[in-house]
Amino acid sequence: MSRELTRRLSQLYVGLALYGVSSAVLVRAGLGLEPWGVLHQGLSERTGLTIGVVSIAVGAAVLLLWIPMRQRPGLGTVSNVVVIGVAMDGTLALVPEVHALAGRIPLLLAGIVLNGVATGLYIAARFGPGPRDGLMTGLHRVTGRSVRLVRTAIEVAVVATGFALGGSLGVGTVLYALAIGPLAQFFLRVFAVPAPDAGSTVVAARTPRGAIIPR
């Protein structure tokens, strides 16, 4: 196995695991989750399943929607479905609930920054988009609508549904939406792997908000 491939695989799985950890930290902060996290938590409240299991189930369901749009998953796509959910449940089992606001605010900030780090690691590995981003790009291609419009419509629908089901929507949701773009862009450059045919670093063409991030 080449050094480059080893690095890319390491980045892929470390990034996915850290994404799950960061999502769990946001849950423990209790000040609002990222858009898909709101849906996962709402479904978890309604079904009694752990939020990690719900994340896996939702990811698999979204992946099925790729079929009629003729989207092709990569290793990163399939790994995304499983690794993030497992990491979330593992972290939630280890990290206790925090009730004091003085503890929840640092958890929120740490979760958002860690999510940005995980995003940079995962995307820079270049093993394919996550299932939710494939849904976005597939709908963009099929409908002809802009990526920004399609992503906004999906996330509004996801947040509204998750909130109606009991998911956590709050200041953390807004702060995440504002911060994840700049954080992702920065860490994509930090962790970029040189392209084999160019010798230049590769970063995502778009970063949130109209972006491709690993959920």
Side-chain angles (χ1 to χ4, degrees):
M1 185 182 295
S2 69
R3 177 178 293 183
E4 182 204 358
L5 182 58
T6 300
R7 174 183 170 180
R8 290 173 60 208
L9 286 169
S10 298
Q11 284 195 196
L12 170 66
Y13 289 107
V14 170
L16 290 175
L18 288 180
Y19 200 102
V21 171
S22 69
S23 296
V25 169
L26 292 176
V27 171
R28 286 293 184 245
L31 294 172
L33 303 178
E34 73 277 17
W36 284 93
V38 177
L39 176 62
H40 298 155
Q41 189 180 55
L43 288 170
S44 177
E45 293 287 336
R46 295 289 181 172
T47 62
L49 299 172
T50 66
I51 192 169
V53 170
V54 169
S55 173
I56 292 171
V58 170
V62 171
L63 194 54
L64 290 176
L65 296 176
W66 283 32
I67 297 174
M69 294 186 294
R70 298 181 180 178
Q71 295 278 95
R72 293 185 178 180
L75 175 63
T77 309
V78 178
S79 299
N80 181 297
V81 173
V82 178
V83 176
I84 291 177
V86 172
M88 284 184 68
D89 278 350
T91 304
L92 289 171
L94 295 173
V95 179
E97 293 187 9
V98 179
H99 300 288
L101 189 61
R104 292 162 67 194
I105 292 176
L107 273 182
L108 171 65
L109 297 177
I112 292 173
V113 173
L114 186 58
N115 194 277
V117 173
T119 297
L121 282 166
Y122 167 72
I123 297 180
R126 308 194 316 269
F127 279 108
R132 297 156 184 83
D133 285 307
L135 175 64
M136 174 191 70
T137 56
L139 288 174
H140 159 66
R141 180 172 52 81
V142 170
T143 65
R145 302 294 183 179
S146 69
V147 170
R148 184 178 298 273
L149 177 61
V150 170
R151 185 177 188 91
T152 299
I154 291 174
E155 293 196 348
V156 167
V158 164
V159 168
T161 303
F163 182 67
L165 292 172
S168 177
L169 182 65
V171 64
T173 309
V174 177
L175 186 58
Y176 178 92
L178 294 174
I180 192 59
L183 285 171
Q185 182 66 54
F186 174 75
F187 287 111
L188 277 165
R189 295 186 181 279
V190 170
F191 298 118
V193 180
D197 59 345
S200 60
T201 56
V202 175
V203 297
R206 297 179 295 272
T207 54
R209 300 297 306 166
I212 297 179
I213 63 173
R215 293 304 305 275

